[in-house]
Amino acid sequence: MRDLSRNEALVSRAQRVIPGGMWGHQNAASLPPGYPQYFSHAKGCHLWDVDGNRYVDFVCSWGPIILGHCHEAVDEAARAQAARGDCLNGPGAVMVELAELFVATIAHADWVQFKKNGNDATTSAVTIARAGTGRRKILVARGSYHGSAPWCSPSVLGVTAEDRAHIIAFEYNDSESLARAAEQAKGDLAGIIVTAFRHDIGRDQELPDPEFARRARGICDEEEAALIVDDVRAGFRLHTGGSWETLGVRPDLSSWSKAISNGYALAALTGNERFRAPAAAVFSTGSFWTAAVAMAASVATIRALLRDDAVAHMTRLGERLRGGLDALSRRHGIAIRQTGPVQMPMLLIADDPDCRKGFAFCSAAIEQGVYFHPTHNMFLSAAHTEADIDQALEAAAHGFRAVQALHALAAE
Ligand SMILES: Cc1ncc(COP(=O)(O)O)c(C=O)c1O
């Protein structure tokens, strides 16, 4: 058993001074037994908790780490900018360099604005869609996560009906449901916001059906509304030009964050010519939105992603992990479902409505030094190697044996 005593001491101190000990999905209390809350350092795809236990990381800080933790070129660019200044009276010259790189890299983008969190980028997209169309209704897929603002939070605590008065739900990948929602909004449709693929927590992932994506584009064209792709989570892991490039469907607006600067706090909203004027007109800012260090980190991140073809690397290793997990699950007689893009692996165990099996699997794996997630999609990075995947598969074998033990108990 790993020692987690320092972690436990911090958890109990935090209970007194932080409501609930920790906020959001990062609260380790919602993870399987044995997951640490506090970490001391990380390098590449390895992560150490405050008690010194090392893990192969398949959560990658919930997406931001795409090149690996503490990537040398990115950190060097950040350090060089920090020595010149970060939070100034306005942006550094690096903002223009980064904006040019975004516009050159992302296929639909004629312009970009920078922000801090994904939530800033999705909320700005909705505001600019409304400003540009002069309409109010936004269509949102039921269960999709776009952030924690009142218009989109999965929690309704503290949210008023007015906050969501102009939000209409549809089912992801269901063109008819989308068309019905658009009909309901007829004459007042500002936009459709849709995640790059269906990556809702606790359920099988779904790649976007090309027909659904084309229908969304068609509705927005007919109604002169904005098609918004929320690429906050998937951005740069599926395609560096934008996740819907492989479908041949381009959004009007797209939200980015997480992986764009390999762990430095930055978000972006990209748009086409149609929405340039409303983007310039809407008042939108934040005290730290011009901070230069994250922008320098982002320039270095995007250059490294393009130079090293990180998407191909993550895809190759993701296939190795998926194939290995499939083979192991068959060998242990445990039915599983693996869905979504291999670079963002999702593993659910069959017949597991309360997730007891998923938790047992993950608790056994973390004991072996591999940090999986039982209900959320996971993330690969350019720093994972074949040896890391093989270590993950060895840990997964322990996980499958833990599930076998649960089956044996249930059969008694
Ligand atoms: C698809 C998507 N949109 C928006 C957000 C919100 O981003 P942030 O947590 O940086 O505000 C997230 C965060 O997980 C996300 O996955």
Side-chain angles (χ1 to χ4, degrees):
M1 288 291 277
R2 286 158 306 141
D3 176 20
L4 290 174
S5 53
R6 286 197 182 145
N7 180 71
E8 280 155 20
L10 286 165
V11 167
S12 72
R13 278 168 57 195
Q15 280 297 345
R16 289 191 287 276
V17 288
I18 295 166
M22 181 62 208
W23 54 82
H25 58 281
Q26 294 94 335
N27 192 335
S30 64
L31 289 169
Y35 273 63
Q37 180 74 78
Y38 292 95
F39 298 92
S40 75
H41 64 287
K43 181 71 188 161
C45 70
H46 298 122
L47 176 70
W48 283 260
D49 67 22
V50 288
D51 288 283
N53 302 299
R54 189 187 92 144
Y55 307 98
V56 183
D57 184 10
F58 286 95
V59 170
C60 292
S61 313
W62 306 85
I65 301 302
I66 191 167
L67 293 171
H69 294 277
C70 296
H71 185 269
E72 263 150 44
V74 174
D75 288 357
E76 182 47 44
R79 273 194 298 272
Q81 181 60 53
R84 292 191 291 273
D86 181 20
C87 189
L88 308 167
N89 289 7
V94 68
M95 186 168 89
V96 181
E97 187 187 358
L98 180 60
E100 286 168 349
L101 191 52
F102 258 77
V103 168
T105 307
I106 295 163
H108 87 105
D110 294 320
W111 54 264
V112 56
Q113 287 180 332
F114 297 106
K115 298 152 199 305
K116 276 290 129 187
N117 287 290
N119 204 162
D120 302 333
T122 53
T123 302
S124 281
V126 165
T127 308
I128 289 169
R130 286 176 168 148
T133 57
R135 317 230 190 87
R136 296 176 298 176
K137 305 290 181 203
I138 301 288
L139 311 189
V140 181
R142 199 170 276 113
S144 283
Y145 185 66
H146 297 293
S148 58
W151 71 269
C152 60
S153 169
S155 158
V156 291
L157 289 174
V159 172
T160 66
E162 288 79 2
D163 289 322
R164 298 192 182 177
H166 300 294
I167 302 293
I168 301 177
F170 64 90
E171 295 300 324
Y172 198 102
N173 264 347
D174 181 340
S175 298
E176 290 317 308
S177 149
L178 179 64
R180 280 195 301 277
E183 196 50 40
Q184 228 180 301
K186 193 89 186 157
D188 199 14
L189 181 63
I192 300 174
I193 185 165
V194 61
T195 53
F197 68 98
R198 189 173 198 173
H199 45 49
D200 313 350
I201 195 150
R203 54 159 294 145
D204 293 336
Q205 314 291 280
E206 284 177 39
L207 290 172
D209 178 349
E211 196 275 321
F212 165 78
R214 284 193 292 272
R215 190 73 172 268
R217 183 64 275 172
I219 291 170
C220 288
D221 290 341
E222 277 160 34
E223 301 296 324
E224 297 184 338
L227 177 61
I228 306 163
V229 169
D230 177 356
D231 231 335
V232 167
R233 193 180 310 180
F236 289 162
R237 273 193 168 82
L238 307 197
H239 191 294
T240 40
S243 293
W244 277 24
E245 270 309 280
T246 48
L247 302 173
V249 174
R250 290 199 174 149
D252 298 296
L253 298 166
S254 197
S255 309
W256 303 78
S257 187
K258 293 205 185 271
I260 65 175
S261 41
N262 201 51
Y264 290 82
L266 191 68
L269 175 67
T270 51
N272 60 15
E273 281 308 336
R274 232 181 105 206
F275 287 90
R276 186 189 288 269
V282 166
F283 181 78
S284 144
T285 188
S287 297
F288 300 103
W289 287 12
T290 53
V293 166
M295 295 186 188
S298 184
V299 170
T301 300
I302 297 172
R303 291 216 175 110
L305 285 171
L306 296 173
R307 189 196 53 224
D308 302 341
D309 197 355
V311 173
H313 177 89
M314 290 183 281
T315 306
R316 193 169 56 77
L317 291 189
E319 280 163 0
R320 186 181 181 94
L321 179 66
R322 185 160 293 185
L325 288 169
D326 263 337
L328 278 174
S329 73
R330 277 196 301 276
R331 197 174 314 145
H332 290 84
I334 310 286
I336 60 168
R337 299 190 307 276
Q338 298 196 79
T339 53
V342 292
Q343 312 83 305
M344 295 171 67
M346 177 72 161
L347 165 72
L348 292 174
I349 296 176
D351 302 321
D352 191 23
D354 55 6
C355 210
R356 277 180 55 224
K357 295 179 193 175
F359 271 43
F361 176 90
C362 284
S363 283
I366 203 159
E367 247 344 290
Q368 301 301 314
V370 174
Y371 195 111
F372 287 138
H373 197 288
T375 54
H376 191 283
N377 73 268
M378 297 180 274
F379 298 88
L380 287 182
S381 76
H384 284 86
T385 65
E386 292 181 358
D388 296 309
I389 301 300
D390 294 346
Q391 189 186 335
L393 292 172
E394 276 174 36
H398 286 259
F400 285 122
R401 284 199 285 280
V403 179
Q404 279 178 331
L406 278 185
H407 285 178
L409 262 180
E412 270 175 14

